[in-house]
Amino acid sequence: MSRLPGYWGSVLEVDLSTGRTGRREIPAADYEQFIGGRGLGMKLLWDLLPEPGVDPLGPDNPLLFMPGPFAGFPLPSASRTCVVTKSPITAPVASPHRHASTVSYSNMGGFIGPEIRFAGYDGILVRGRAAAPVYLYVDDDRVEIRDAGRFWGMGTDAFDRAFTEALGDRRFRTCYIGPAGENVVPYASVINTAARAAGRAGTGCVMGAKNLKAVAVRGSRQPDVAAHKRFLEALDKARAGFRGTPSTENWRRYGTGSALVASSDNGTQAVRNFREGTFEHIERIGGLAARRAVWQRDFACYACPLACKKAGRVADGPYPGLVHDGPEYETGTMLGANLLIGDLGGVQRAIWHADDLGLDIISVGGVIGFLMEAYERGCIDRDALDGLDLAWGGVDATVELLHRIAHREGVGDDAARGVRHLAGRMGHETAKFAIHSKGHGFAAWNVHVQPGYGVSYATSNRGACHLNGFTPDRQNGTALVDSVGVCLFARGGYAAGLVEQVLESISGRGWVDADYAAAGERVFNLEKCFNYREGFRRSDDSIPDRFFEEPLTVGPRKGAVVARDAWDRMMAEYYAKRDWDPATTRPADARLQALGLEFARVKLPA
Amino acid sequence: MSASEPSPGPLTALDLCGGVRADRRDFIRLAAWGGAGLAVGHFGARTLWAQGPSRQPVYAMILVDYNRCTGCRTCEAACAQFNHPVTVDGEEQRGLGNPSLSNIRVHAFNPDADVPVVCVMCRDNPCVAACPVEPDAEGRRALYRDPVLLTVRNDPSRCIACGACAEACRAHRVGAIIPNRETNRPERMCTLCGGDPQCVALCPYGALSYIKGGLDGRHYALPPERIAAELIARWYGPAQGGDVR
């Protein structure tokens, strides 16, 4: 088998059940068709799960850590690592398969993706389940499954420090779970550098189900490239494209935090469990306030000129001395505006606890918002909340609930299962304000004013996702970027055609425009095939009734609501563009064949 | 949002070592040395040193402004690209930037602080002093100072791979010298890229400066752990950490 330049040609394969480690060869055609990251991870997931209904928490569910082909080179903002697995949180309305769920993918920045490539692998595939807590140690060719008993139970912040100490060299790059992952909370996150997260879609839950506390990687090598001079030219071009632009300056100054106030002003923010789009106290927790009162330092991922990561300290107020990242747009909204917490120190406190426990802040902010609303409406009382007074804006109660969720104590055990489960237990039409699609909670962008976000949430292959895109073209583009491993925040920094040019110089494979764009559509459709085979159909591509029935009551966009007929038209248009059956969502045979997905087509039910 | 907050002034080893008053007017920044001569950077105009017209070699080093460094490690790649070139089609080209070959290495800490470590060109060079190889006719040990740039260099034909230089740097200075994993010969001594340091040129954040001068005859060497502790205390307050319920 000929190896494609720019790739190692294999991923590290580790079976935690047997303790066996080795390399799994990847056919050159898979790299050409699926590129890396999210795409190649999806192809591996498909190959490893030939039948639907595999238990996401069982040993058969693979867990993949997938950098893209840009990782390991000093290309700007191209260090994302996509964690791919079968989701522990989504489920279809109806399915013949007991453990039916969607694909799960979530990517994180930092340094571990490049390090995996430096160690000589295009990814890490973890299978099986360890009998007791372990961590994976990778130092180039030296691969060991080591006891992690003494680390089990540690929060991610303390663990990050203790683990670095134990490894004895700061050149090791790590990622890990907190108590939430250990306790198999379905929306547990994978954390690195005590703050960056592959937060969404339950990646940390699957890691915990495998008894895998952490992964540590150190490498000394580097992949080659097919066309050295052309690569260097493209690298110089990419570096220059970020230099001194207003966008670069804005990322450095505010990160995603700049969107907090802007989104509220536009009525597009998740406020009061998505009931409203504008938060009256947003300026207290927005980017300007955070820059003034909290943020001390800006940090960047590998070779990134944007430095959107903000580390800060809370100097005064009720929680002085707290040191942590944030607020970002998502964290500040979901644990701030969505819960009506307008106190910056309080928001920071909640963010620290959620990260330390290893909870996906987007999901858990949605769960707590749902419970606050249910409490206000009397759908759940204080007894059922184990004594918690879950009034809007309560920081102490929020922090307490985060802990109960991560440790699955009392009401926390139900809350750990997500808003759909909670609504199912409560009844009373609470489903109308249980904000999820396919069981996965919405992110911090609200829908009333921008129904496109509804399409993004309803049609995302991992369950609700704000990064997915409003249209098929945009979604395919995102799937491509996630496969190459470029950060979504940086996609504008690469001039048109430059990503393809870099990819070409690395792999030597020529891309024509249509061919390149097809790769994104291919990835998206393979994910869709996976979901379809599990039993997801048209009724699963939905958003809650709230957005159709309850217009915004405050803010400049007061009165905004999604019209059902407009929504139906948008969705019909979506399926038509996709070439998916509008009644079932099954991709058309001809389309799958054209995309080279015949191997998936033959596995779909009629 | 367009409010502009005052950005903090530079924070470098010169401040942390306490050898120089923390008044940043006190030295010169030479971001473009080698091209247009001496370029005065954001540090101001007064100099600590006086370079006469004599063409005598002048001590020079890479100085890190910790207030600007974001830990992105572009410097590592830039260093490796320049100092580990490859020959492609008979032509020497920059390498691909494998950071494990870099002479400058960023150490990351929690709470967040990133400390790039690079040879600080100590005038009293304990690494050279520790080299046990007999000086040759020109007075050179296996480890020696480059006569032009005053960088520390190793002569592999005479090096006995004892590791004494690396140990001296680790024990007494910054730990910049690291023995090769296989040969145990010293590596990671800054070359100043022949006078146009690429880490300085390519740092996206302007966190690295190329300065030269006498620096009072002192060295400005602190181990990264001590620098990190100092930075963390300055940025995040004396007691940092998480929170209790």
Side-chain angles (χ1 to χ4, degrees):
Chain A
M1 185 183 336
S2 70
R3 191 176 65 81
L4 209 61
Y7 294 95
W8 293 110
S10 59
V11 297
L12 172 62
E13 181 167 357
V14 176
D15 189 329
L16 296 178
S17 295
T18 63
R20 265 200 301 270
T21 65
R23 279 178 182 275
R24 182 185 179 91
E25 303 293 322
I26 308 292
D30 280 2
Y31 289 115
E32 293 182 344
Q33 302 266 298
F34 296 95
I35 299 176
R38 175 175 156 191
L40 187 60
M42 182 59 230
K43 177 59 166 56
L44 278 158
L45 189 74
W46 179 273
D47 291 345
L48 290 159
L49 294 178
E51 300 302 328
V54 166
D55 181 359
L57 303 183
D60 294 336
N61 188 16
L63 178 66
L64 293 138
F65 298 87
M66 302 296 294
F70 282 23
F73 301 114
L75 292 155
S77 316
S79 65
R80 306 296 294 187
T81 308
C82 200
V83 187
V84 180
T85 187
K86 183 172 185 282
S87 177
I89 184 157
T90 53
V93 173
S95 169
H97 309 292
R98 185 161 164 240
H99 294 292
S101 71
T102 62
V103 298
S104 160
Y105 59 84
S106 187
N107 76 52
M108 56 187 171
F111 302 87
I112 192 168
E115 205 68 29
I116 289 171
R117 296 262 289 168
F118 295 144
Y121 311 98
D122 293 325
I124 297 176
L125 158 62
V126 181
R127 312 179 71 173
R129 175 199 277 154
V134 295
Y135 71 88
L136 178 62
Y137 176 97
V138 181
D139 187 12
D140 283 337
D141 290 324
R142 184 171 164 201
V143 179
E144 293 171 14
I145 299 165
R146 294 182 172 181
D147 175 49
R150 69 188 187 283
F151 297 123
W152 205 248
M154 287 178 86
T156 61
D157 198 8
F159 174 75
D160 180 78
R161 289 191 292 268
F163 196 38
T164 301
E165 186 98 344
L167 292 165
D169 181 2
R170 292 181 186 280
R171 300 299 283 191
F172 277 99
R173 303 293 157 175
T174 62
C175 65
Y176 35 81
I177 55 171
E182 296 172 7
N183 297 321
V184 209
V185 172
Y187 46 85
S189 56
V190 176
I191 300 271
N192 78 63
T193 56
R196 295 181 173 98
R200 302 242 67 198
T203 53
C205 171
V206 174
M207 201 163 157
K210 295 192 174 306
N211 263 326
L212 181 61
K213 176 72 178 177
V215 176
V217 186
R218 183 175 67 174
S220 66
R221 300 174 279 207
Q222 195 178 32
D224 57 356
V225 298
H228 197 94
K229 265 178 100 161
R230 278 178 36 225
F231 173 81
L232 292 178
E233 286 163 16
L235 170 64
D236 290 343
K237 235 189 260 178
R239 280 173 169 162
F242 287 88
R243 221 165 276 150
T245 68
S247 165
T248 294
E249 281 311 306
N250 196 53
W251 282 114
R252 288 183 183 184
R253 191 167 287 275
Y254 297 111
T256 62
S258 65
L260 283 162
V261 171
S263 176
S264 178
D265 287 351
N266 292 332
T268 54
Q269 190 162 40
V271 179
R272 204 185 229 278
N273 190 35
F274 296 83
R275 179 66 189 83
E276 304 294 349
T278 300
F279 180 39
E280 59 174 328
H281 299 310
I282 193 62
E283 289 186 359
R284 296 184 189 167
I285 63 170
L288 277 173
R291 181 48 93 192
R292 210 176 298 125
V294 174
W295 296 341
Q296 294 289 311
R297 303 281 309 120
D298 311 327
F299 290 98
C301 298
Y302 187 75
C304 180
L306 302 180
C308 73
K309 177 179 188 286
K310 310 295 167 208
R313 73 152 185 250
V314 178
D316 43 27
Y319 319 107
L322 180 79
V323 173
H324 196 48
D325 280 24
E328 300 175 286
Y329 178 68
E330 294 295 331
T331 58
T333 299
M334 296 310 290
L335 290 176
N338 195 45
L339 310 182
L340 304 189
I341 296 176
D343 152 25
L344 189 52
V347 172
Q348 283 294 94
R349 184 164 178 246
I351 293 171
W352 183 85
H353 280 278
D355 278 342
D356 194 51
L357 293 162
L359 287 162
D360 171 34
I361 288 179
I362 294 176
S363 299
V364 82
V367 166
I368 296 173
F370 171 84
L371 283 172
M372 283 180 170
E373 180 163 358
Y375 181 61
E376 179 187 44
R377 287 165 174 255
C379 306
I380 186 167
D381 62 17
R382 205 160 164 169
D383 277 353
L385 288 169
D386 306 323
L388 276 183
D389 176 16
L390 212 53
W392 290 109
V395 175
D396 288 346
T398 294
V399 168
E400 182 60 33
L401 187 52
L402 290 171
H403 280 262
R404 292 192 194 174
I405 290 170
H407 292 101
R408 308 195 70 148
E409 295 162 4
V411 68
D413 187 49
D414 279 315
R417 294 161 205 249
V419 292
R420 179 161 62 178
H421 168 84
L422 287 167
R425 293 222 37 192
M426 284 180 208
H428 298 299
E429 294 207 325
T430 52
K432 286 193 177 185
F433 59 90
I435 310 300
H436 70 90
S437 182
K438 303 179 179 68
H440 197 226
F442 281 23
W445 295 94
N446 213 336
V447 178
H448 308 75
V449 173
Q450 288 200 80
Y453 269 112
V455 177
S456 180
Y457 291 131
T459 60
S460 165
N461 288 321
R462 67 178 183 185
C465 168
H466 62 298
L467 302 170
N468 184 37
F470 293 7
T471 64
D473 280 350
R474 194 72 183 169
Q475 295 177 357
N476 298 341
T478 302
L480 252 182
V481 169
D482 288 349
S483 300
V484 173
V486 169
C487 178
L488 282 179
F489 301 165
R491 102 168 116 185
Y494 282 83
L498 186 53
V499 170
E500 295 94 307
Q501 205 182 314
V502 175
L503 197 55
E504 222 170 285
S505 68
I506 289 175
S507 69
R509 183 194 193 282
W511 298 87
V512 292
D513 287 352
D515 189 24
Y516 180 68
E521 188 180 0
R522 182 178 301 121
V523 170
F524 197 92
N525 272 276
L526 183 56
E527 292 169 345
K528 173 64 190 176
C529 287
F530 184 99
N531 293 349
Y532 189 85
R533 190 179 63 174
E534 294 280 322
F536 288 86
R537 296 293 183 269
R538 176 64 185 87
S539 58
D540 293 297
D541 290 358
S542 64
I543 59 173
D545 289 342
R546 157 151 289 171
F547 305 106
F548 304 109
E549 297 176 1
E550 297 173 290
L552 300 179
T553 68
V554 299
R557 303 305 302 270
K558 184 173 167 178
V561 71
V562 182
R564 285 211 192 259
D565 53 345
W567 171 257
D568 291 341
R569 275 199 307 277
M570 286 172 81
M571 292 300 283
E573 196 182 317
Y574 177 86
Y575 295 121
K577 267 201 187 138
R578 278 267 174 232
D579 206 358
W580 294 355
D581 184 326
T584 66
T585 71
R586 189 186 197 280
D589 288 353
R591 190 69 155 212
L592 293 179
Q593 281 157 348
L595 292 169
L597 295 175
E598 180 64 9
F599 68 90
R601 189 194 66 81
V602 299
K603 299 281 239 170
L604 296 188
Chain B
M1 298 194 194
S2 61
S4 72
E5 295 78 16
S7 54
L11 177 60
T12 72
L14 277 72
D15 308 299
L16 301 178
C17 285
V20 180
R21 273 187 346 101
D23 179 354
R24 256 76 56 177
R25 293 170 179 280
D26 278 353
F27 63 97
I28 218 164
R29 182 186 186 222
L30 297 172
W33 188 39
L38 312 184
V40 180
H42 66 281
F43 296 117
R46 261 183 61 207
T47 65
L48 264 182
W49 51 275
Q51 185 189 21
S54 66
R55 304 206 176 275
Q56 285 292 309
V58 171
Y59 282 86
M61 64 181 279
I62 309 295
L63 191 69
V64 182
D65 179 351
Y66 302 107
N67 270 345
R68 290 185 172 220
C69 177
T70 67
C72 75
R73 297 169 67 201
T74 300
C75 53
E76 294 186 5
C79 176
Q81 281 197 276
F82 182 88
N83 289 295
H84 296 270
V86 295
T87 303
V88 182
D89 303 331
E91 204 183 328
E92 190 171 272
Q93 298 278 339
R94 283 173 291 158
L96 298 173
N98 179 348
S100 75
L101 302 174
S102 173
N103 301 328
I104 185 167
R105 291 160 79 81
V106 182
H107 296 237
F109 292 84
N110 171 4
D112 279 322
D114 287 289
V115 182
V117 171
V118 62
C119 173
V120 296
M121 309 286 174
C122 313
R123 182 168 259 186
D124 60 346
N125 45 236
C127 50
V128 174
C131 179
V133 173
E134 274 300 305
D136 65 9
E138 292 166 43
R140 272 185 194 172
R141 301 168 190 271
L143 205 73
Y144 65 98
R145 298 303 284 250
D146 178 275
V148 179
L149 288 169
L150 296 180
T151 52
V152 176
R153 304 181 66 167
N154 186 47
D155 179 351
S157 70
R158 300 175 65 218
C159 175
I160 59 169
C162 68
C165 51
E167 178 53 26
C169 184
R170 191 199 61 75
H172 304 297
R173 300 294 152 87
V174 301
I177 300 179
I178 295 176
N180 181 285
R181 273 209 228 181
E182 269 122 48
T183 67
N184 205 43
R185 291 206 177 102
E187 290 181 344
R188 316 300 166 82
M189 291 83 73
C190 176
T191 67
L192 294 175
C193 298
D196 181 16
Q198 290 303 293
C199 55
V200 174
L202 286 171
C203 173
Y205 300 95
L208 301 175
S209 301
Y210 184 25
I211 63 159
K212 56 178 193 168
L215 300 177
D216 285 342
R218 294 175 52 97
H219 64 81
Y220 291 87
L222 280 177
E225 291 75 15
R226 279 192 50 200
I227 294 176
E230 175 70 25
L231 297 178
I232 288 166
R234 282 176 186 235
W235 291 335
Y236 306 122
Q240 341 75 30
D243 186 34
V244 288
R245 253 193 290 178

